[in-house]
Amino acid sequence: MKSYRRELTFHTNTRRAYVNITPDIERALAESGIKEGLCLVNAMHITASVFINDNESGLHSDFERWLEKLAPEKPHSQYAHNGYEDNADAHLKRSIMGREVVVAITNGKLDFGTWERIFYGEFDGMRDKRVLVKIIGE
Ligand code: ZN
């Protein structure tokens, strides 16, 4: 069995962002040389997510509004976590959107459903944050 590991770094210019990282994962898969197996992609930070959904900007606006209703960023004082930090909302948003995805690899490709794409969800950005890609197989 082959094993491949790579860290990707993302730095968004806004506190919250939704980034289509599918091309980055496809490059990693090509570099791995693995044709059959599994690909894990996870955020290495507890205020960011990796998730699979539609690459459609209206939906991303809907995610943003929905998450702000569930866990509004402000006022920062509404959260017990916010003492030295102001990112309690980001922890909560990440919990809803998830930590990782696993995608099957078939014939050297990510074996997606028709509209599935991989996204990095940033909830406390404007700094370097890492995503782990681990691929195992043959
Ligand atoms: Zn925190």
Side-chain angles (χ1 to χ4, degrees):
M1 188 191 74
K2 281 198 261 184
S3 172
Y4 170 94
R5 181 189 191 276
R6 172 149 198 189
E7 290 181 14
L8 305 173
T9 301
F10 297 98
H11 186 125
T12 62
N13 296 321
T14 51
R15 180 177 169 105
R16 286 187 292 280
Y18 305 93
V19 183
N20 181 359
I21 62 170
T22 311
D24 302 89
I25 307 308
E26 286 171 341
R27 270 194 294 278
L29 176 56
E31 192 177 281
S32 77
I34 292 171
K35 303 291 181 205
E36 295 291 326
L38 293 172
C39 176
L40 166 76
V41 186
N42 69 266
M44 298 178 80
H45 299 263
I46 52 182
T47 54
S49 291
V50 172
F51 62 95
I52 289 179
N53 220 301
D54 196 355
N55 188 23
E56 196 278 307
S57 60
L59 180 66
H60 302 168
S61 302
D62 292 336
F63 275 134
E64 170 64 18
R65 285 207 309 279
W66 178 63
L67 291 168
E68 267 296 286
K69 270 186 221 161
L70 291 171
E73 178 193 340
K74 292 173 180 164
H76 293 144
S77 60
Q78 73 189 302
Y79 298 107
H81 177 69
N82 286 344
Y84 297 105
E85 292 189 290
D86 66 358
N87 65 1
D89 70 300
H91 290 281
L92 298 175
K93 286 165 175 141
R94 178 265 165 85
S95 297
I96 292 165
M97 297 303 285
R99 171 182 181 265
E100 79 276 307
V101 300
V102 178
V103 182
I105 299 159
T106 305
N107 294 326
K109 304 277 185 210
L110 298 169
D111 202 341
F112 283 139
T114 307
W115 299 107
E116 288 187 312
R117 298 295 180 271
I118 305 173
F119 291 89
Y120 174 68
E122 177 61 84
F123 306 116
D124 185 19
M126 298 182 286
R127 57 196 169 101
D128 283 358
K129 310 239 313 234
R130 290 174 298 147
V131 166
L132 176 67
V133 182
K134 182 88 182 191
I135 306 172
I136 57 171
E138 303 289 339

